[in-house]
Amino acid sequence: MTEISLGLRNIAIVGPYASGKTTLLESLLYVTGAISRKGSVRERNTVGDSSAEARERQMSVEVSVASTEYNGTRFTFLDCPGSVEFAQETYNALIGVDAAVVVCEPDNTRILTLSPLFKFLDDWEIPHLVFINKMDRICSDETRCATTFVSVLEALKNVSSRPVVPHQYPIGHKEKLIGYIDLVSEQAYHYHPGAPAAPVPMPEALKEAEHAARMQMLEELANFDDHLLEELLEEIEPPQEEIIKDLKMELGADLIVPVFLGVAEQDFGVRPLLEALLREAPEPESTTSRRGIVLKADTPVAQVLKTYYTPQGGKLSLVRVWKGQITDGMSLNGVRIGGLYRLMGQQTQPIQVAEAGEIVALSRMEGIKTGDTLTSNGQMPSELPKAEQIAPVFALALAPEKRNDEVKISAAMAKLLEEDPSLAWEQHGDTHEIILWGQGEIHLKVALERLRRKYNLPMVTHLPRVPYKETIRKAAKDVHGRYKHQSGGHGQFGDVYLDIKPLPRGEGFSFSETIVGGVVPRQYIPGVESGVREYLACGPLGFPVVDVAVTLVNGSYHSVDSSEQAFKLAARIAMQEGMAKCEPVLLEPIAAVDICTPSEFTSKVLQLISGRRGQILGYEGMSDWKGWDKISAYLPQAEMQDLIVELRSLTLGVGYFNWKFAHLQEVPEPLAKRVLATTGANNNGSKN
């Protein structure tokens, strides 16, 4: 049985958009010697954000992977998107790492944006620490540098279900961040560009604040270590080795969240962060044990974290090896590996063997999807847990710019959805539009750009049409429809009388007949039903008709000229004549919506719902998420097309919702008139 290799760490870099994650990755690679020159997001030449879509927008749109070595340990970093629209990418990657570095800016008003990320990390018990980046921006004087740091710590405590523990304390001087104090060793350091920070004497002015911060750290650690608690009560100075041991144990168990600081763009604070990851982050075997993964089968086991389609190498599957070795050419789940690689952005390094605990890429794994569990014999008692699928909330209708490209859509969409499982597409049954679903406008624009660049499939788009329906308010009896046509030889003759009446909402359509005496022969009755159904596909207002009952009550036929087709046409004539008399009304789809928001924004969200013709059903605090509310409401689908945009605008980007179709409801008359005017429908059935 192969042991998990030592000297490995898989670290995700996560955090909000523009917090500096890709810049931190670049600095980590630079100070460890993996790259000789740092790129920048502005110059579009970083190892992360190497795709065309990311560089064009200067933002991460997919997971970027890079490996480096430091002090005998191979680090594999996964730079994850920060935009909420690409959260699925981040969540899929996080399930395969040993720890996460949460990057944020020193702005306590925006710390709330970390709340969903912290919840995911804690739900999955993924060890994580915080790196407060861009600390130089808040050091306008020595006092503000420290007070802002403390206020950010307090804000972090409000969004974390785990204790937030300072690991460092900032040193500011004359409007600059010049260094930090390590709270474990109580050693002060000054930063030096291009070099490690140098030890300096403890600043006298910071001794009291540093001591308070250190005691805060030790007291949180003592909550999980009785021996340390005894030492503190007896005022015994605990040895550094004991503090580091506690930090490692409690970080590895996701019991605490240590906080570091620095300026990634200048490499300030990056080396201490690396040292902490080396010293305190859990090893791969601890991750396997913590996740509760029981791997009894004596076979290699891996899990797919991300799928790429690259211009040069085709399909690449990024996998975490949980057990055993994977070798080039091996078959996993019945698919032969076409190549085995370590990644450095878009660059690939061929390798022959991947050990347990490594994150590597496999090529040409056709039929293998993100989240899949892979084994050498394909036999596992159950799939490894994978991140929950985020429901799509924003849609665009699309069509190829070139009509001849329609045949390429299905194949291209299949690959697009393999790369990004948070997308979905459908051919709508009522509107006949091709609809692409995603997490927001930028998300879909990136997807459309990939369709154009990778698959030469440019698209034109518009907002999807609302799938309105129509029904009737009153009944009509003995509606007559006759079709008679003579053009030499046999003619066509069909003659029917129909009763039309409304059904209760949600009943759909029913057809029946009360024919006696054979006035309409049995073989022609299916033609009558077919004609009725065809008409109801587009009623007098121009939309599919629902909740209607039609009964064939009488008719006549010709022994020679009658046919099923003639009765079908007669039924359509009767329906066109009768439906206009039944007071047709427009129906709109109503969705049942659950909106989740931080409690401080609940009142604004309630106003948002009311302003969109919504019916609020109630709201309550979320039992599994302190400080968050769930609001239940009915909302017209016509009002939901940009709901996510406004909801995120109101809630610092963190509000979200789930929805499903609930029922159909009459459209208010003034709005119905506007809808009919814009769709070109009329009350005379001319669309038929």
Side-chain angles (χ1 to χ4, degrees):
M1 184 172 176
T2 305
E3 295 293 329
I4 291 181
S5 301
L6 299 176
L8 296 174
R9 297 290 190 282
N10 301 298
I11 308 296
I13 303 175
V14 297
Y17 166 65
S19 57
K21 299 179 299 300
T22 300
T23 301
L24 176 60
L25 172 62
E26 203 74 5
S27 181
L28 288 163
L29 298 176
Y30 178 70
V31 301
T32 57
I35 56 176
S36 58
R37 181 180 179 276
K38 285 170 59 177
S40 76
V41 173
R42 287 186 298 274
E43 295 175 8
R44 298 178 170 90
N45 59 354
T46 54
V47 173
D49 291 358
S50 53
S51 71
E53 295 81 20
R55 289 186 169 172
E56 182 178 291
R57 288 168 175 78
Q58 297 188 32
M59 66 179 290
S60 301
V61 298
E62 64 182 358
V63 173
S64 294
V65 185
S67 294
T68 186
E69 291 187 11
Y70 181 71
N71 282 358
T73 297
R74 180 184 301 116
F75 282 90
T76 299
F77 292 105
L78 277 62
D79 180 18
C80 301
S83 168
V84 67
E85 297 189 23
F86 300 94
Q88 188 77 60
E89 285 275 315
T90 298
Y91 296 162
N92 290 343
L94 279 171
I95 63 172
V97 300
D98 303 309
V101 176
V102 180
V103 184
C104 68
E105 296 180 79
D107 180 355
N108 60 325
T109 65
R110 295 198 58 80
I111 294 298
L112 182 63
T113 60
L114 297 174
S115 185
L117 182 58
F118 275 13
K119 186 173 191 304
F120 183 89
L121 291 167
D122 288 336
D123 285 349
W124 281 78
E125 298 183 345
I126 298 169
H128 52 287
L129 48 85
V130 172
F131 181 76
I132 305 176
N133 192 23
K134 306 179 184 180
M135 279 289 293
D136 55 329
R137 297 186 179 182
I138 54 103
C139 290
S140 57
D141 57 60
E142 294 178 34
T143 303
R144 185 167 184 265
C145 193
T147 55
T148 302
F149 176 72
V150 171
S151 70
V152 171
L153 283 178
E154 291 303 312
L156 287 167
K157 292 175 185 178
N158 290 333
V159 298
S160 174
S161 64
R162 308 293 194 256
V164 173
V165 177
H167 203 297
Q168 298 174 326
Y169 196 85
I171 302 175
H173 181 64
K174 293 183 178 180
E175 302 183 6
K176 288 185 179 180
L177 175 74
I178 63 170
Y180 69 96
I181 304 168
D182 184 330
L183 297 181
V184 175
S185 64
E186 292 195 281
Q187 174 64 59
Y189 294 87
H190 278 183
Y191 296 128
H192 292 284
V200 296
M202 172 81 72
E204 287 293 330
L206 293 179
K207 279 188 175 180
E208 184 177 341
E210 181 275 338
H211 179 73
R214 188 170 192 266
M215 286 306 299
Q216 179 186 341
M217 175 186 73
L218 293 176
E219 287 169 2
E220 291 292 0
L221 295 177
N223 288 331
F224 308 100
D225 182 348
D226 291 341
H227 182 260
L228 178 59
L229 179 60
E230 289 177 9
E231 289 178 323
L232 295 181
L233 291 173
E234 296 175 11
E235 297 185 356
I236 298 173
E237 178 64 27
Q240 290 185 34
E241 294 76 14
E242 182 181 358
I243 298 172
I244 292 171
K245 181 181 176 182
D246 279 349
L247 284 166
K248 180 177 178 64
M249 180 190 71
E250 291 159 26
L251 172 63
D254 187 36
L255 296 173
I256 60 169
V257 183
V259 180
F260 296 78
L261 58 92
V263 185
E265 193 169 27
Q266 301 178 52
D267 306 329
F268 293 169
V270 173
R271 289 177 180 85
L273 176 65
L274 260 173
E275 289 290 345
L277 291 173
L278 183 67
R279 187 177 62 227
E280 298 163 26
E283 294 87 358
E285 62 265 30
S286 299
T287 305
T288 303
S289 174
R290 185 187 70 250
R291 286 274 305 275
I293 298 173
V294 180
L295 305 174
K296 296 180 180 178
D298 191 21
T299 58
V301 178
Q303 187 173 25
V304 183
L305 309 178
K306 165 70 180 169
T307 302
Y308 303 93
Y309 274 93
T310 65
Q312 299 83 14
K315 182 177 179 179
L316 287 178
S317 299
L318 185 73
V319 303
R320 162 80 185 234
V321 184
W322 288 107
K323 175 181 175 292
Q325 288 184 335
I326 292 179
T327 57
D328 192 8
M330 175 186 286
S331 289
L332 297 175
N333 289 22
V335 182
R336 189 176 185 275
I337 298 172
L340 187 60
Y341 305 96
R342 290 198 184 99
L343 299 183
M344 179 65 79
Q346 289 198 328
Q347 303 301 313
T348 55
Q349 176 194 350
I351 57 176
Q352 295 301 310
V353 180
E355 302 286 348
E358 290 197 75
I359 291 179
V360 295
L362 316 178
S363 70
R364 297 195 290 278
M365 299 294 288
E366 300 306 324
I368 300 300
K369 304 185 297 297
T370 299
D372 283 357
T373 300
L374 308 179
T375 67
S376 60
N377 58 18
Q379 295 178 353
M380 278 287 291
S382 61
E383 289 281 309
L384 294 177
K386 50 189 174 185
E388 185 179 352
Q389 193 80 10
I390 301 175
V393 291
F394 188 85
L396 286 174
L398 48 86
E401 284 185 3
K402 303 171 186 174
R403 197 176 191 86
N404 292 340
D405 284 345
E406 289 181 357
V407 295
K408 298 162 56 176
I409 291 177
S410 292
M413 284 292 185
K415 291 182 177 179
L416 192 68
L417 268 60
E418 275 195 79
E419 283 197 275
D420 187 350
S422 62
L423 293 167
W425 77 290
E426 63 175 325
Q427 181 105 34
H428 199 282
D430 287 336
T431 65
H432 309 295
E433 296 173 310
I434 297 173
I435 298 177
L436 182 63
W437 285 91
Q439 304 304 319
E441 190 173 9
I442 295 174
H443 186 211
L444 293 191
K445 284 183 176 179
V446 168
L448 293 168
E449 186 63 19
R450 284 182 180 149
L451 282 176
R452 185 183 68 82
R453 279 189 168 139
K454 290 188 175 183
Y455 309 112
N456 191 27
L457 197 57
M459 293 285 187
V460 292
T461 66
H462 60 270
L463 290 176
R465 295 198 297 271
V466 178
Y468 291 106
K469 300 250 189 324
E470 58 180 279
T471 191
I472 54 175
R473 286 187 176 139
K474 54 186 288 192
K477 287 186 170 293
D478 289 328
V479 180
H480 185 213
R482 173 178 288 190
Y483 180 76
K484 185 176 182 181
H485 183 68
Q486 193 74 38
S487 59
H490 287 305
Q492 291 286 336
F493 181 83
D495 186 47
V496 298
Y497 289 85
L498 305 177
D499 284 353
I500 307 170
K501 68 175 183 179
L503 290 175
R505 191 74 68 242
E507 291 293 314
F509 166 72
S510 72
F511 177 83
S512 59
E513 51 86 14
T514 58
I515 295 298
V516 294
V519 292
V520 176
R522 288 285 164 195
Q523 66 267 31
Y524 300 145
I525 293 177
V528 177
E529 181 176 356
S530 178
V532 170
R533 288 184 179 275
E534 279 191 11
Y535 176 85
L536 294 178
C538 186
L541 302 182
F543 298 95
V545 182
V546 295
D547 302 335
V548 168
V550 176
T551 305
L552 172 63
V553 295
N554 205 346
S556 63
Y557 73 102
H558 189 279
S559 59
V560 176
D561 292 345
S562 287
S563 65
E564 186 174 335
Q565 178 67 15
F567 274 92
K568 175 179 174 180
L569 294 171
R572 285 180 60 89
I573 292 169
M575 290 299 296
Q576 185 168 337
E577 192 72 27
M579 284 289 290
K581 302 174 182 177
C582 293
E583 293 188 12
V585 292
L586 193 64
L587 300 176
E588 62 180 338
I590 303 297
V593 183
D594 288 329
I595 300 179
C596 300
T597 175
S599 302
E600 62 193 88
F601 301 119
T602 298
S603 61
K604 291 183 178 180
V605 175
L606 293 173
Q607 293 173 18
L608 172 64
I609 295 169
S610 299
R612 289 175 175 250
R613 300 192 290 123
Q615 177 188 352
I616 297 167
L617 303 177
Y619 67 93
E620 60 184 359
M622 296 178 68
S623 59
D624 62 341
W625 202 346
K626 182 181 177 182
W628 279 63
D629 290 336
K630 178 187 284 186
I631 304 166
S632 298
Y634 285 140
L635 203 61
Q637 191 173 324
E639 301 286 345
M640 292 180 58
Q641 290 181 325
D642 63 344
L643 175 64
I644 192 62
V645 177
E646 192 168 354
L647 177 62
R648 287 174 179 157
S649 176
L650 288 177
T651 61
L652 291 178
V654 298
Y656 67 94
F657 66 84
N658 296 300
W659 69 279
K660 62 182 179 181
F661 172 78
H663 57 270
L664 293 169
Q665 182 174 293
E666 281 192 32
V667 179
E669 189 173 349
L671 178 58
K673 289 180 178 178
R674 291 200 298 271
V675 171
L676 295 176
T678 56
T679 59
N682 57 66
N683 293 320
N684 298 317
S686 63
K687 279 199 158 190
N688 291 283

